[in-house]
Amino acid sequence: MASHKILVIDDSRVIRMRVRDMLPKGNFEVLEAKDGVEGLNLIRQERPNLIMLDFLLPRMSGWEVFQQIQNQSDLQSIPLVVMSGRREEVTEKIPEPFEFFEFIEKPFEQKELIEAIKASMAKAKLPRVQAAAPTVATPAATTANAAPAESGASAAEIQALNEKVAKMQAEIDGLKKQLTQIVTFIKQKLK
């Protein structure tokens, strides 16, 4: 039995098979869902180690599945790669930079897929600020809570720095890709 599960949610059988074929062979099981409802059910039942989510799906859109994942703290920690052929459809609903998930534009190559998976795993580990329930402060409680408030501020600063690092890494990866394309183009012209 595989110890890791990867869930691919896409209405295109071709894309699901392509992703399955691009994944490195190893100790994991690839689960497939053809629509948002089936995908969300599999997320809840199987608790995959990675979710690859198409943004445009029948029955329940990828956007709706994304919202369900983000609204449940136990699902937020699962690395998520959002896939779409049109980045603007994703950015219309979720503004960039994408903090807690990775985006990959279709069609994609194996190297891009692997990089997106690695980035999604790093982003899934970023701390999230949870809305705290309001409390009534007493003088004793105020004194006792002073130290955690200071560490909370530094945690927020660390999170902000981690987000900047993740954004910069994504930009660096994009620049590397462009540089490789330019070098390849120049080599072709020199032949």
Side-chain angles (χ1 to χ4, degrees):
M1 184 83 180
S3 62
H4 299 291
K5 297 176 186 175
I6 297 176
L7 174 59
V8 181
I9 308 171
D10 199 303
D11 55 327
S12 166
R13 185 173 185 272
V14 172
I15 295 291
R16 292 193 311 266
M17 295 302 290
R18 183 171 164 84
V19 169
R20 177 187 291 270
D21 293 342
M22 285 182 174
L23 292 169
K25 304 302 177 230
N27 190 26
F28 54 79
E29 173 184 3
V30 179
L31 307 170
E32 297 180 18
K34 62 185 178 298
D35 61 55
V37 173
E38 185 180 339
L40 197 55
N41 287 338
L42 278 172
I43 291 169
R44 290 183 174 136
Q45 291 167 9
E46 299 291 334
R47 298 291 177 177
N49 302 91
L50 172 72
I51 301 167
M52 300 204 55
L53 174 65
D54 185 20
F55 210 66
L56 299 175
L57 293 169
R59 291 180 62 198
M60 177 186 278
S61 72
W63 165 240
E64 293 169 308
V65 173
F66 174 82
Q67 288 177 305
Q68 291 285 325
I69 292 169
Q70 298 308 308
N71 289 333
Q72 295 182 34
S73 59
D74 59 326
L75 301 182
Q76 289 175 354
S77 62
I78 301 173
L80 174 65
V81 177
V82 173
M83 307 179 289
S84 178
R86 295 179 50 204
R87 184 181 208 103
E88 61 274 8
E89 289 176 342
V90 177
T91 57
E92 187 178 291
K93 304 257 188 214
I94 311 164
E96 292 187 78
F98 304 126
E99 267 183 277
F100 301 110
F101 69 95
E102 189 61 23
F103 173 81
I104 188 167
E105 193 164 359
K106 295 178 190 175
F108 47 82
E109 298 299 322
Q110 182 178 23
K111 184 180 178 191
E112 294 170 302
L113 176 66
I114 302 304
E115 287 173 2
I117 290 171
K118 287 178 182 176
S120 73
M121 290 178 168
K123 288 181 177 185
K125 292 176 185 171
L126 292 175
R128 296 187 188 219
V129 178
Q130 299 294 331
T135 57
V136 177
T138 62
T142 305
T143 306
N145 290 334
E150 289 173 18
S151 65
S154 64
E157 291 169 357
I158 291 170
Q159 179 183 353
L161 289 172
N162 283 336
E163 290 167 7
K164 286 181 183 178
V165 168
K167 182 180 177 187
M168 291 171 68
Q169 185 61 51
E171 291 173 357
I172 289 168
D173 292 342
L175 291 170
K176 284 181 183 177
K177 182 179 175 185
Q178 289 176 351
L179 183 60
T180 302
Q181 291 171 341
I182 291 169
V183 170
T184 303
F185 176 76
I186 292 171
K187 285 180 180 177
Q188 289 175 348
K189 290 296 178 184
L190 292 175
K191 287 184 180 178

